[in-house]
Amino acid sequence: MKNLLLTMIATTAFLVGGPSTAIATGGSKNVKLHVNPRWKECSFQLDPSLTQAAWHQFAREAGLVIYFRPLIDARPMGAGNYELSVLQWQTGIDDTDPAWNDTFVHPDSTHWLYEGSGLAFPGLSFRAGITDDIDAGVYFTKNPNANYGVWGVQMQYNVIDNTEQNWVASVRGNFVSLFGPDDLGLTVVGLDLVASREYEVWSDWVSLSPYAGVSTYLANAHETSAVVDLKDEHVVGAQAMVGVAAKVSMARLSMEYNLAKVHSFSLKIGVAF
């Protein structure tokens, strides 16, 4: 297990510090980038051209980008059980929109916010079973080459456990916060309702748990920049989720798709102990 944990930590370090952080170089997009070579990768810094409408859009979409997605089914872990995981969320924002182009600066004029299909946020998550019905989780990520990171906490409570048909339902409360940038603050609170059913594939060693759910969230954005004068944005949103969680002995593997104003696709690899 020690080797697996070291592999997970090394993988996270590569994802956070490497190109897959979705801070990519090259390509061609029809937008002029704001340049500041202070950071090696794209970082938060508000531009004077940022409008209130774009600031509102940023709050709505950034709330989805950093939303705490644990990629787990609804079944409680059980008291005294733990899980350490590497996560990556990828959200399909349009980085040429003023909501993103006017809130970021770049090392040079061709260093785009991302290449591919979305903005990726990798990180580490740790979960623990507090009681037979309650789980708690924490999430953390930090880009060492930029000026931002994200941390979050979560509590899950099992509300239905139908042993006859082997399906369960739980509610989750989330809080996530951006940290690091001087120009802005962003927090997100959310509530999830998720249901799942577990299927044993091979004895107690391998199982699959498809799950589905809905979320509502409140994103709060506050600017602290001297170059703009924008009102705080408090944006309510919603999303739906569908995913599958796999247990292979101690390993935990998951994938999830979120349908919202901007969609997300997420992956997880972890170990339970």
Side-chain angles (χ1 to χ4, degrees):
M1 186 174 72
K2 179 180 179 182
N3 290 337
L4 179 57
L5 293 176
L6 291 174
T7 301
M8 289 171 58
I9 294 171
T11 301
T12 301
F14 172 77
L15 289 173
V16 174
S20 62
T21 319
I23 311 297
T25 303
S28 178
K29 299 182 181 182
N30 187 26
V31 66
K32 182 180 179 180
L33 300 182
H34 306 297
V35 175
N36 186 341
R38 174 182 174 184
W39 297 283
K40 296 180 180 179
E41 295 184 352
C42 310
S43 296
F44 285 102
Q45 187 177 76
L46 304 189
D47 188 78
S49 60
L50 181 66
T51 65
Q52 191 71 48
W55 182 234
H56 177 87
Q57 180 183 343
F58 170 80
R60 182 184 67 221
E61 296 183 359
L64 288 167
V65 169
I66 71 170
Y67 193 85
F68 192 163
R69 300 176 178 89
L71 277 72
I72 57 172
D73 58 13
R75 186 170 298 281
M77 299 177 64
N81 293 313
Y82 306 93
E83 180 185 298
L84 179 63
S85 304
V86 175
L87 308 175
Q88 179 157 291
W89 311 324
Q90 180 171 289
T91 309
I93 65 164
D94 183 352
D95 61 339
T96 65
D97 283 342
W100 292 94
N101 190 50
D102 293 342
T103 55
F104 269 87
V105 291
H106 309 266
D108 59 62
S109 61
T110 61
H111 197 286
W112 308 107
L113 184 58
Y114 71 84
E115 289 183 343
S117 58
L119 178 63
F121 265 76
L124 277 174
S125 176
F126 177 76
R127 301 189 64 82
I130 307 302
T131 70
D132 289 341
D133 297 320
I134 298 176
D135 302 340
V138 296
Y139 170 80
F140 180 83
T141 185
K142 175 68 174 75
N143 189 333
N145 296 317
N147 70 347
Y148 64 87
V150 178
W151 67 270
V153 293
Q154 185 177 84
M155 189 77 72
Q156 175 171 303
Y157 178 66
N158 180 228
V159 292
I160 299 176
D161 189 354
N162 188 322
T163 56
E164 293 182 0
Q165 299 184 8
N166 198 30
W167 75 275
V168 294
S170 294
V171 293
R172 294 195 291 249
N174 313 288
F175 175 83
V176 189
S177 179
L178 183 74
F179 69 90
D182 294 330
D183 281 7
L184 73 152
L186 177 69
T187 61
V188 185
V189 292
L191 184 67
D192 306 339
L193 174 62
V194 59
S196 65
R197 183 171 182 177
E198 187 174 32
Y199 298 89
E200 289 189 358
V201 177
W202 183 50
S203 184
D204 295 331
W205 285 80
V206 182
S207 66
L208 293 176
S209 298
Y211 63 89
V214 292
S215 306
T216 182
Y217 70 92
L218 172 64
N220 303 281
H222 172 69
E223 63 88 358
T224 55
S225 172
V227 302
V228 294
D229 184 15
L230 302 173
K231 296 179 180 179
D232 291 355
E233 289 290 347
H234 309 287
V235 183
V236 176
Q239 62 180 333
M241 72 185 84
V242 60
V244 59
K247 299 177 182 178
V248 183
S249 185
M250 294 175 61
R252 299 292 183 264
L253 307 169
S254 302
M255 63 176 60
E256 179 178 306
Y257 179 79
N258 297 92
L259 180 63
K261 190 70 176 181
V262 288
H263 68 273
S264 297
F265 180 72
S266 309
L267 297 170
K268 180 184 83 170
I269 177 172
V271 58
F273 51 96

